Structure formats: C-alpha cells, structure tokens
Amino acid sequence: MLYMENIKAKKSLGQNFLKDEAVLEHIIEVAKLSKEDVVIEIGPGHGALTEKLAKVCKKVIAIEIDERLIELLHTKLVGNDSLAGEVEIVSGDILKINFPELVEKHGLIEGGYKVVANLPYYITSPIVRLLLETKHSPTEMVVMVQKEVAERIVAKPGAMSILAVSVQYYAKAQFLFTVFKQSFDPMPKVDSAIIRVTYSREQKEQDKEATKKFFRIVKSGFSAKRKTLINNLANGLQLQKKVVEEKLVSLGFSPNTRAQELGVEDWRKLADSLVV
Ligand code: SAM
C-alpha cells in the first residue's frame, strides 16, 4: 500500500481513489454479496474496494488499465490467505478486451456474475453500454458514477434522455446513495452516487430486429432538443406528421409532447405501432 500511495494519480484515467472507509463499507452492504457470488470489478485502482469484495464473495476478477498498479495489486491481493475469496487481476482496457471471452473463460455463463465498481467517469457511458449489450450481461451491477449521471439514468417520464431509455430498456435502475466529493483522493469536482442496475433476462432476450427498430425510433425522437416528438420522428424517419400524430394521440399523448416525456413502455408501444 505504501508503494501505491507514491504512485501519482492519473487524471486522464479517471483516477479518484475512494478513501472513505464508511463509504467502502456501505457499498459492500448494498451490494448484498454472498460466498456464491463472482464479481467483476472495473478499475480496482489501489484495491481498496477489491479487498473488501474479496472478503465477502467467492471470487473477484478485477480489470485495471494502469500497468503501474498491476504488480502492486498482485502483491497485495492475489493468493492472500486473509481474504476468503480468490482475486484475479486482469491487465487491460475494459473497452478493448474481449469481454464475452473473459466471461466464458471463467465459466460465468451458467451461474452469472455481478459487477461492483467505482467506474472511471470519462468512460461511464461506454462501460454501461458494454455491460448492457454484451452477450452475457451481469445479473446486477452496483456502480459508482457521477451524481448527475446517476440521476439521468434513473430518471422518470418528464426528464428522460437517451441514456435513461437505453438503461431502462434492459434493466431496472435504482439510485442508492450519494457519495460526496470529499470522500476521494484526489478530490473530483463533483459528487458521485451509487446506483443499482438489475437486468431482466426477459428483456435481454428481446428480438434483435425489434431492439434495432426501438433504438432507431428513440434516437430520432431525441434528435433535436427544441423540437416536438412529432417533428423529430417525422423528419428522422421520413414519416408523415399526421401518421406520427395519430399514433401518439392513440397512446394518450398530446401532439406537443417532447421526447423526454415518454417512458420505456411508451416508446415500446410507439415503436410497435410505427412502420419504419
Ligand atoms: N476502485 C478504485 C477506488 O474505488 O478507489 C479506483 C476507482 S477510479 C475512479 C477508476 C479506476 O479505473 C482507476 O484505477 C483507473 O486506472 C481505472 N481505469 C480507467 N480506465 C480504465 C479502462 N479503460 N479499463 C480498465 N480500468 C480503467
């Protein structure tokens, strides 16, 4: 640990290390892990969370991009008898490694796995997208993201965004608690929050074509912020405004509705009724 503290945090890698014991304990508490659980952690950093995870679950597979930390993480956590669970450190970039292969290699398809992590903020959205869309998604993730992003992910109709629709299409998202910026070293500019994302297998198995159509419609709907949904959909999908208006009104919405007012179920119904 002493050596790790001498390694200067790299801002470019989103390195804000969690130093608050109480927050680390709180994450472990809300993750509700058992000795049967295998956890994938993205960005173990100095291993503060990794160590606590390994005390309560069967195995932690921790993926870290910063080569300076790999050997130190090994020394601290791999083969450490004081930890009940096994720790494996994977050196690599979460967005470049073959993630489905990693899941398959560790035999996690049948039993499933969870993701618990303090995510590097500069790539939060691509990581969330990867975990939602990958061949073998985790059953659940308990992750720290910027507070503002957490609020956007769990938003309700009236404040929806493409991010909220994308997450809620596949999963249930829940805001758990705020983590103040003072809990990190170095201190970031903004507060963070822990969210829980629980996957629904049923939704994961949706037909690929229907999913493609759904997101095509959602993207068109959100394309121009100031315009109404009817205008965005008519322009983006080359549909007659009248047709879009009829469908929208039949769902109980006014013609002036904006994209942020629709929940995932509304988008689903709209997508089912539009021919594009
Ligand atoms: N888990 C530690 C904690 O809670 O203190 C560190 C969290 S820090 C916010 C994010 C971590 O993700 C850093 O260790 C950083 O090096 C790592 N990281 C950044 N980009 C990554 C990537 N593309 N793939 C894997 N790890 C990455």
Side-chain angles (χ1 to χ4, degrees):
M1 203 55 193
L2 195 68
Y3 297 117
M4 290 203 194
E5 277 153 10
N6 291 334
I7 295 177
K8 207 167 175 286
K10 275 192 188 168
K11 248 189 175 175
S12 61
L13 292 180
Q15 292 182 344
N16 299 101
F17 300 108
L18 198 45
K19 62 171 185 184
D20 188 328
E21 267 298 302
V23 174
L24 287 162
E25 291 294 347
H26 200 174
I27 297 173
I28 297 296
E29 191 188 315
V30 296
K32 295 187 196 140
L33 298 165
S34 82
K35 294 267 184 282
E36 310 298 313
D37 284 319
V38 176
V39 171
I40 294 187
E41 183 190 9
I42 296 155
H46 293 170
L49 183 61
T50 325
E51 186 173 11
K52 293 208 184 293
L53 289 168
K55 285 187 177 158
V56 293
C57 69
K58 183 171 155 197
K59 183 168 181 164
V60 186
I61 302 161
I63 305 160
E64 174 57 59
I65 197 174
D66 189 345
E67 284 174 8
R68 302 173 306 163
L69 300 172
I70 298 295
E71 201 186 324
L72 299 164
L73 282 164
H74 260 279
T75 310
K76 184 181 172 193
L77 301 168
V78 178
N80 181 338
D81 292 338
S82 73
L83 304 172
E86 195 188 332
V87 176
E88 184 172 326
I89 308 294
V90 177
S91 174
D93 180 337
I94 180 66
L95 299 179
K96 294 202 177 131
I97 62 170
N98 187 334
F99 193 74
E101 194 179 282
L102 181 110
V103 172
E104 283 160 25
K105 192 180 116 196
H106 287 86
L108 305 179
I109 303 165
E110 279 291 298
Y113 67 98
K114 293 180 176 172
V115 168
V116 182
N118 172 8
L119 295 179
Y121 295 160
Y122 73 107
I123 45 170
T124 299
S125 293
I127 294 176
V128 170
R129 196 175 322 126
L130 166 84
L131 295 171
L132 290 167
E133 292 175 1
T134 190
K135 202 165 154 198
H136 317 292
S137 288
T139 51
E140 184 171 287
M141 50 176 179
V142 172
V143 290
M144 174 127 61
V145 298
Q146 284 186 7
K147 189 175 181 187
E148 183 250 329
V149 175
E151 286 166 347
R152 279 175 50 214
I153 288 176
V154 304
K156 296 210 161 28
M160 296 295 278
S161 60
I162 293 193
L163 179 65
V165 177
S166 307
V167 174
Q168 294 173 28
Y169 177 76
Y170 292 106
K172 252 199 241 147
Q174 190 189 359
F175 187 104
L176 296 180
F177 62 93
T178 300
V179 180
F180 296 104
K181 58 188 180 187
Q182 290 79 2
S183 302
F184 300 88
D185 182 26
M187 187 169 83
K189 290 202 175 86
V190 293
D191 291 333
S192 298
I194 300 285
I195 55 168
R196 186 198 310 283
V197 177
T198 312
Y199 293 80
S200 137
R201 207 168 270 279
E202 203 182 284
Q203 298 195 359
K204 208 36 222 173
E205 280 162 10
Q206 286 168 122
D207 136 23
K208 277 201 179 124
E209 280 309 307
T211 300
K212 230 166 120 185
K213 179 182 172 192
F214 177 89
F215 283 108
R216 209 176 133 216
I217 291 173
V218 171
K219 276 182 195 146
S220 294
F222 278 100
S223 57
K225 242 188 169 181
R226 287 170 205 282
K227 290 196 178 150
T228 61
L229 185 54
I230 291 181
N231 277 326
N232 282 342
L233 291 177
N235 288 341
L237 303 168
Q238 263 108 55
L239 292 171
Q240 284 189 349
K241 276 192 192 175
K242 230 177 145 215
V243 173
V244 182
E245 182 174 341
E246 266 171 29
K247 303 286 179 199
L248 207 58
V249 170
S250 74
L251 290 178
F253 286 97
S254 100
N256 298 326
T257 301
R258 287 172 197 274
Q260 60 266 31
E261 289 165 49
L262 268 62
V264 170
E265 278 315 308
D266 303 318
W267 283 110
R268 248 187 241 285
K269 286 182 195 151
L270 193 60
D272 286 346
S273 67
L274 288 173
V275 181
V276 293

